[in-house]
């Protein structure tokens, strides 16, 4: 009687002994299991001419049965016993183009944030906040790096960073910290020539 909801409303309790005659149904042992299938729609009774043999699964029974409605939305296979339950559903599309765009932009996020819209939209907006903040942090970090390299270069020439920047302003040399730090790191002889020019021009300006 507990299998009546699984088989559908068309199946009656009095037809179950005829359907499952000869089957060894065990719920705890692994000797033989009964595999049942559930589908949306009504199922007619099986033909009496087709005998049911021992070991026949409900999947084969459902294949041989006649359905009144063949357009299902769900087809669940349920195994009684130790086997697991498997489901096959129709793929659900996204609600709008906005959902698809958000999922595409959230590619690579951890957890459900790369496939679930409700989680992805929050993580995506937060990532935009981090990107807005770090675009400014990036400029500050590189400026600090250029100052450190430039300071190390001018100290080899007997100057400090602050003194060199003051002398450069008086000399009229128009080289920013990025260019000067690159010269100090990769072209030490060219950087030494620039420092000598800055010293000479600043001395003449005074």
């Amino acid at each position: 009687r507990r299998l009546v909801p699984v088989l559908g409303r068309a199946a009656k309790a009095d037809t179950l002994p005829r359907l499952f005659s000869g089957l060894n149904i065990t719920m705890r042992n692994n000797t033989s299991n009964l595999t049942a299938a559930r589908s949306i729609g009504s199922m007619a009774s099986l033909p009496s001419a087709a005998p049911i043999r021992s070991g026949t699964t409900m999947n084969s029974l459902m294949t041989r049965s006649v359905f009144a409605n063949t357009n299902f939305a769900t087809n669940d296979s349920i195994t009684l016993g130790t086997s697991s339950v498997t489901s096959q559903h129709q793929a659900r599309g996204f609600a709008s183009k906005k959902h698809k765009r958000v999922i595409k932009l959230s590619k690579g996020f951890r957890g459900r944030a790369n496939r679930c819209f409700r989680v992805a939209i929050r993580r995506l907006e937060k990532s935009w906040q981090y990107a807005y903040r770090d675009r400014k942090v990036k400029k500050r970090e590189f400026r600090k790096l250029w100052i450190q390299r430039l300071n190390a270069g001018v100290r080899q020439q007997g100057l400090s960073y602050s003194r060199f920047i003051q002398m450069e302003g008086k000399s009229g040399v128009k080289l920013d910290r990025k260019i000067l730090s690159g010269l100090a790191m990769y072209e030490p002889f060219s950087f030494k020539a620039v420092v000598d020019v800055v010293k000479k021009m600043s001395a003449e300006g005074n």
Side-chain angles (χ1 to χ4, degrees), residues 21-117:
S21 60
L23 292 180
N24 184 16
I25 303 175
T26 57
M27 300 299 293
R28 298 182 181 273
N29 299 329
N30 293 328
T31 57
S32 62
N33 295 326
L34 173 64
T35 304
R38 181 182 62 188
S39 301
I40 294 178
S42 59
M43 182 184 70
S45 60
L46 295 175
S48 58
I52 301 176
R53 299 178 181 179
S54 178
T56 303
T57 61
M58 284 303 298
N59 289 330
S60 60
L61 295 178
M62 299 292 280
T63 305
R64 291 157 51 185
S65 61
V66 180
F67 293 92
N69 184 10
T70 58
N71 296 325
F72 320 107
T74 306
N75 185 12
D76 297 335
S77 296
I78 304 172
T79 302
L80 301 178
T82 59
S83 300
S84 60
V85 179
T86 59
S87 302
Q88 294 180 356
H89 299 276
Q90 288 183 352
R92 176 185 176 274
F94 290 101
S96 62
K97 292 183 179 180
K98 177 184 177 182
H99 286 207
K100 295 182 180 179
R101 178 175 175 269
V102 169
I103 296 299
K104 184 178 180 180
L105 291 175
S106 62
K107 180 180 179 180
F109 289 2
R110 298 184 62 181
R112 291 194 303 158
N114 58 12
R115 59 186 180 273
C116 181
F117 173 78

Side-chain angles (χ1 to χ4, degrees), residues 159 163-164 166-173 194-206:
L159 296 174
R163 179 62 178 164
F164 175 77
Q166 182 185 9
M167 294 172 64
E168 184 190 11
K170 294 180 180 180
S171 65
V173 177
V194 172
V195 173
D196 295 338
V197 171
V198 168
K199 291 179 179 179
K200 183 178 179 180
M201 296 295 292
S202 63
E204 293 178 357
N206 293 331

Side-chain angles (χ1 to χ4, degrees), residues 140-151:
R140 296 197 293 264
E141 293 296 328
F142 270 100
R143 183 183 174 88
K144 287 168 26 177
L145 178 62
W146 297 334
I147 291 174
Q148 292 173 2
R149 291 178 177 177
L150 184 57
N151 185 25

